[in-house]
Amino acid sequence: MFKIPKEIINKIAEHSKKDFPVEACGYLIGIDNTVTDIIYMTNMDKSNEHFTFDPAEQFKALKYARKKGAGLIAVYHSHPNSPARMSKEDVRLANDTSIKYLIYSVADNEINCFAVDEKKNVSKIEIEEI
Ligand SMILES: [Zn+2]
């Protein structure tokens, strides 16, 4: 179970719609499995099929989370025109087994949460709106 305030789910949707047709991306900050904050990131690829974080922004995000006594517990990105599922490329790039991966589909107005283990097995994690 991954707990996200409804307000933050709305912010992910808003960010995804604002950046459409480019993929929006960002971090969710929190403690254990509870999200407390969102950080909007720049998609340096400016693509509708993939994203890359800006390393300088990543460093700032990490510092911000630490200052709040929390961690970067999830990465989110949008799928402008495809379902809220991990693409092959998403799975390939998901190298952190300790965080969750959220995908918001603009086309379907749906959000899903996933975890990826060392063997690249993907499991869907239930989202609880809080
Ligand atoms: Zn993706």
Side-chain angles (χ1 to χ4, degrees):
M1 192 73 86
F2 197 64
K3 297 177 183 181
I4 314 178
K6 194 167 175 32
E7 177 197 332
I8 290 179
I9 292 179
N10 290 340
K11 283 182 177 172
I12 294 171
E14 278 166 26
H15 182 205
S16 302
K17 287 170 189 164
K18 189 171 76 72
D19 282 10
F20 185 89
V22 167
E23 281 195 6
C25 56
Y27 280 118
L28 298 179
I29 291 176
I31 296 164
D32 298 327
N33 281 320
T34 305
V35 174
T36 54
D37 215 339
I38 180 170
I39 299 184
Y40 304 117
M41 300 284 284
T42 306
N43 179 359
M44 294 202 354
D45 295 342
K46 302 273 174 250
S47 161
N48 62 350
E49 287 178 337
H50 48 87
F51 71 96
T52 303
F53 284 151
D54 174 346
E57 280 186 7
Q58 277 184 294
F59 182 68
K60 269 194 224 164
L62 188 60
K63 262 177 51 178
Y64 177 80
R66 284 194 181 144
K67 207 176 82 185
K68 296 245 169 182
L72 303 173
I73 61 171
V75 166
Y76 73 87
H77 72 280
S78 67
H79 281 177
N81 302 302
S82 55
R85 279 189 238 117
M86 294 284 278
S87 69
K88 271 188 189 155
E89 189 70 355
D90 289 337
V91 175
R92 192 179 68 81
L93 294 172
N95 290 319
D96 194 338
T97 56
S98 67
I99 66 165
K100 304 291 187 293
Y101 294 91
L102 276 94
I103 299 175
Y104 173 75
S105 165
V106 180
D108 298 340
N109 185 31
E110 187 183 12
I111 190 162
N112 283 315
C113 178
F114 302 93
V116 182
D117 71 13
E118 306 80 23
K119 291 176 179 161
K120 297 288 183 186
N121 294 310
V122 178
S123 41
K124 192 173 165 186
I125 310 289
E126 188 131 356
I127 294 173
E128 186 185 337
E129 284 187 25
I130 54 171

